[in-house]
Amino acid sequence: MRRDGFGPIAELGEVRDREGVVEVRTPFGQTGYLVTRFADVRRVLGDPARFSNARARAASPLEAELTEEEAARMRAGGLLGYDPPEHSRLRRMLTPEFTVRRMRRLEPRIVEIVDAALDDLERAGRPADLVTHFALPVPSLVICELLGVPYADRDEFQAVSARLLDASLPLHERVAAQRANRDYMAGLVARAQADPGEDMLGMLVREHGDDITTDELVGISSLLLIAGHETTSNMLGLGTLALLQNPDQLALVRDDPAVVEPAVEELLRWLSIVHSLAMRMTTEDVEIAGRTIPAGELVVMSIPTANRDASFIDDPETLDITRGAGGHLAFGHGVHHCLGAPLARMEMRIAFPALLRRFPDLALADPGAEPDFRVFNVVYGLQELRLTW
């Protein structure tokens, strides 16, 4: 999905306000139907029986690069490519680890991780890149500790995930990155099976070892590792830039603890860093926005456009952190609603005010420079954000 700064390009808004649904060509060269309105996107996400993740995944050109046996192994554990009841079985095993109560136990450790990253940012000296020294390390270390992934391996898995999510790369390079990612996680899963620790992988082995296959463990951990650091990292970088460009709202986040939680929700809505959640495939003829989509067709959803729909929220193009836009679709909706949403929210609630209080004079190192956006990436964000203070 193309962007114009923080938001979707104007043409997407025009589609939403005019037709609601149009035929498009996906980055893989397939044809599909783009859904742009809030209520329609929410409906697609909430109806896995008629809008299938599994059928869309099976039709992916990425799988055409694999043997049938390898494709089955690659699909194993990939929650985003499952439908109920297979999806429900695996999700039930993971849900207890991501409850709000369980996340609160992590809060003291997340505070320590944030403070250490701020120390590193300060030591780097002015100007420093926020992405390198803060936005990426914080969620990376958190998810590493949660999963039991050695943080010393971060350069390796971050490089692999960057290639995997780079939509500009040829298919064979993205498939190679997918293989490398699973090979890396397979080694960690083998170690957890031999000696399960107190981390999430260890828990899954101890409590569900008879109910989950090795390939499923590899797939689950691969997804959590990538999603756990890529999304929150880009929210921290892009969210900081948005606040710097709205200094009155930045001051509120810095100085008023009561504003932080609604600010996180509004930033999630306004930025909508995941352009489109996993594609779906229709299992029967369906009508959306007055248009019939035949069975067996791909459905693509524009999350940024849906979250800026005036039927969902007043004055949708304006960033207003005081309203706390609950009900947005930044974490999806329905059975595939982001499992790690409580963790991501907690990291942002801790990290944003901590950054702004440590550096009350935080500013762009070069205010006139064009932001270095990640244009061809599955997760929108910044390549770097050079700051001074």
Side-chain angles (χ1 to χ4, degrees):
M1 298 289 177
R2 287 180 293 161
R3 296 284 191 122
D4 181 10
F6 294 110
I9 58 172
E11 289 90 334
L12 284 170
E14 291 167 4
V15 168
R16 178 195 59 216
D17 299 337
R18 191 174 57 240
E19 301 102 331
V21 176
V22 292
E23 287 189 62
V24 294
R25 184 168 294 276
T26 75
F28 297 121
Q30 303 159 290
T31 58
Y33 290 79
L34 177 67
V35 181
T36 58
R37 293 174 181 164
F38 179 86
D40 294 332
V41 170
R42 196 172 189 274
R43 175 187 163 203
V44 172
L45 294 173
D47 188 354
R50 293 196 295 170
F51 300 93
S52 167
N53 282 52
R55 295 192 189 188
R57 171 70 187 267
S60 168
L62 285 170
E63 298 217 348
E65 300 280 317
L66 310 171
T67 66
E68 187 174 333
E69 179 182 356
E70 188 179 20
R73 289 183 60 240
M74 290 286 192
R75 284 196 293 268
L79 291 171
L80 298 180
Y82 279 13
D83 295 327
E86 293 84 359
H87 171 269
S88 308
R89 176 181 68 86
L90 291 177
R91 179 138 180 157
R92 274 195 300 269
M93 298 179 193
L94 291 167
T95 298
E97 294 299 305
F98 286 97
T99 61
V100 173
R101 180 182 300 177
R102 188 68 61 91
M103 290 302 102
R104 283 180 182 146
R105 296 181 192 172
L106 289 174
E107 185 167 357
R109 179 60 184 134
I110 295 175
V111 170
E112 292 176 357
I113 289 170
V114 166
D115 287 343
L118 290 171
D119 292 341
D120 181 60
L121 180 63
E122 191 166 15
R123 281 193 299 268
R126 297 172 292 179
D129 176 22
L130 185 82
V131 174
T132 299
H133 296 286
F134 185 73
L136 189 54
V138 168
S140 294
L141 186 50
V142 171
I143 199 64
C144 281
E145 292 200 3
L146 196 63
L147 284 174
V149 175
Y151 187 59
D153 294 348
R154 64 190 180 281
D155 289 342
E156 177 182 349
F157 70 70
Q158 285 169 0
V160 169
S161 66
R163 293 199 303 276
L164 188 58
L165 297 176
D166 187 344
S168 69
L169 292 179
L171 277 179
H172 70 274
E173 290 189 31
R174 296 183 68 189
V175 169
Q178 190 174 14
R179 289 184 177 123
N181 183 54
R182 287 188 70 97
D183 287 347
Y184 171 74
M185 293 309 302
L188 295 183
V189 166
R191 289 203 289 272
Q193 289 172 324
D195 183 20
E198 296 303 313
D199 50 71
M200 191 179 297
L201 270 181
M203 177 279 296
L204 287 170
V205 170
R206 284 194 309 275
E207 298 183 15
H208 303 286
D210 295 333
D211 306 313
I212 189 169
T213 68
T214 295
D215 282 340
E216 287 174 336
L217 277 171
V218 172
I220 288 171
S221 54
S222 297
L223 174 62
L224 292 177
L225 180 62
I226 293 173
H229 79 271
E230 280 284 348
T231 50
T232 308
S233 167
N234 285 290
M235 273 300 303
L236 290 176
L238 211 56
T240 299
L241 177 61
L243 291 172
L244 286 169
Q245 294 187 359
N246 293 270
D248 55 333
Q249 302 196 53
L250 181 151
L252 287 173
V253 174
R254 183 189 63 218
D255 300 333
D256 187 353
V259 171
V260 175
E261 189 168 336
V264 167
E265 295 307 312
E266 174 70 348
L267 286 167
L268 284 162
R269 177 200 72 85
W270 197 69
L271 296 172
S272 295
I273 60 168
V274 179
H275 308 287
S276 173
L277 303 172
M279 288 190 291
R280 269 57 168 178
M281 180 175 282
T282 52
T283 60
E284 60 183 68
D285 292 359
V286 293
E287 185 177 306
I288 300 179
R291 179 161 189 169
T292 298
I293 301 178
E297 295 289 341
L298 289 173
V299 175
V300 186
M301 293 155 286
S302 175
I303 303 304
T305 311
N307 276 336
R308 293 188 180 211
D309 188 340
S311 69
F312 161 55
I313 194 166
D314 293 335
D315 194 16
E317 297 296 330
T318 298
L319 176 69
D320 178 2
I321 61 164
T322 63
R323 61 180 162 191
H328 59 74
L329 301 173
F331 287 122
H333 171 70
V335 298
H336 288 281
H337 183 270
C338 178
L339 193 64
L343 177 60
R345 285 184 165 109
M346 175 172 286
E347 291 180 73
M348 286 184 277
R349 286 200 302 264
I350 293 169
F352 280 126
L355 170 68
L356 301 177
R357 289 171 191 158
R358 174 72 74 91
F359 304 107
D361 297 321
L362 197 69
L364 296 172
D366 185 356
E370 186 71 20
D372 190 7
F373 293 112
R374 291 165 39 138
V375 178
F376 296 106
N377 208 281
V378 173
V379 181
Y380 196 52
L382 294 164
Q383 298 286 6
E384 68 171 7
L385 182 62
R386 297 185 66 75
L387 301 178
T388 187
W389 51 86

